Amino acid sequence: WDVVNEAIDDGPRALLRRSPWLEAIGEDYIAEAFRMAHAADPDAVLIYNDYGIEERHKREKAVRLLRSLLDQGVPVHAVGMQCHWRMERPDLAEVEESIKAYAELGLQVMITELDIGVLPTHYSGADVGRQESMQGREAVMNPYRDGLPDVVAQQHAERYRQAFAMFHRHRDVIGRVTLWGVHDGRSWLNHFPIRGRTDYPMLFDRQGEPKPAFFAVVEALQPPIALAE
């Protein structure tokens, strides 16, 4: 179960985001949610899920929150890293450090909402109601309306290959990898944070055919082939 989702604040100071739960119950709402979920289903794996916690600025907050919960005996079993990524960020070395940091807390790591967008954006928050305009900037903000150039498709595939190679290295602590969609045509990134764009974040294209990224993932998960001497 994803018991608590996106509770950590994006800013440099506050630990928790302002939310109706925080205002009505106080900071204990997270611990109480996990305790109630555990009481309802004692065998369930209970997850704290958030975006951006694979990057250093939010990882430190997430570790602080999770360590506090564990010190109180709160039944948290795993941390979910959403992983809505772009071509240029995050730094995968930073992601790997985050996987190790959460594993050191004794938690499983789940990759819960993976996609890798190829279009530029300036917003990385969680307000899905927010919309930016690309008026006068269409050529820059929506450059692949007529198809993804082969060179970009190969770069996208390499990004996926590196990501899954990293996940495979840490398969002892990563419980699952879930992608946030199936094919490009149904991705939320076509409409967020700018409506009407043409993005290519998934492993399958708009016709449901596997892309170079799909084959890169398969390659990353193949065991090495022993060459005969």
Side-chain angles (χ1 to χ4, degrees):
W1 292 8
D2 283 357
V3 178
V4 176
N5 187 57
E6 299 177 357
I8 296 173
D9 192 76
D10 290 334
R13 296 182 181 178
L15 175 61
L16 300 180
R17 292 173 63 194
R18 302 303 303 177
S19 70
W21 294 104
L22 182 62
E23 293 175 4
I25 300 173
E27 294 184 0
D28 288 345
Y29 85 90
I30 298 175
E32 288 306 307
F34 277 97
R35 291 186 179 112
M36 293 174 70
H38 183 64
D41 188 349
D43 296 324
V45 174
L46 305 182
I47 304 170
Y48 174 76
N49 189 59
D50 213 329
Y51 65 92
I53 59 171
E54 67 274 24
E55 297 185 77
R56 184 178 297 108
H57 70 285
K58 284 186 74 171
R59 176 181 69 217
E60 294 171 355
K61 289 185 177 184
V63 167
R64 177 155 47 108
L65 172 64
L66 292 164
R67 181 178 287 122
S68 173
L69 293 170
L70 293 169
D71 287 347
Q72 297 172 59
V74 175
V76 183
H77 307 128
V79 57
M81 304 193 312
Q82 292 183 8
C83 298
H84 295 296
W85 293 349
R86 317 302 298 182
M87 296 286 280
E88 70 283 357
R89 66 168 183 80
D91 181 344
L92 293 186
E94 203 168 302
V95 177
E96 194 154 22
E97 287 302 311
S98 297
I99 293 171
K100 294 175 182 177
Y102 298 129
E104 287 174 0
L105 294 175
L107 298 172
Q108 272 193 301
V109 176
M110 309 293 191
I111 310 302
T112 58
E113 304 181 16
L114 177 64
D115 51 20
I116 302 178
V118 302
L119 299 180
T121 184
H122 303 298
Y123 181 65
S124 59
D127 181 3
V128 294
R130 173 177 173 143
Q131 288 292 315
E132 297 179 2
S133 171
M134 62 176 174
Q135 186 174 4
R137 301 181 296 156
E138 288 85 353
V140 173
M141 302 305 290
N142 193 28
Y144 309 128
R145 291 179 57 185
D146 299 323
L148 193 65
D150 288 344
V151 64
V152 180
Q154 292 301 325
Q155 292 168 350
H156 186 245
E158 177 60 16
R159 182 78 160 149
Y160 262 109
R161 189 197 65 76
Q162 292 176 0
F164 272 83
M166 176 182 62
F167 299 153
H168 193 56
R169 284 196 299 275
H170 296 281
R171 59 191 179 276
D172 57 325
V173 297
I174 293 179
R176 73 165 189 260
V177 177
T178 302
L179 281 86
W180 204 237
V182 177
H183 68 77
D184 291 336
R186 296 296 298 273
S187 172
W188 71 305
L189 292 177
N190 294 308
H191 304 290
F192 179 81
I194 300 174
R195 288 194 177 277
R197 295 201 295 177
T198 306
D199 208 339
Y200 302 82
M202 307 313 305
L203 302 183
F204 294 86
D205 66 19
R206 283 166 168 76
Q207 288 71 48
E209 296 296 324
K211 295 161 52 180
F214 171 86
F215 296 105
V217 168
V218 172
E219 176 188 342
L221 299 179
Q222 292 296 318
I225 299 173
L227 299 177
E229 295 183 358

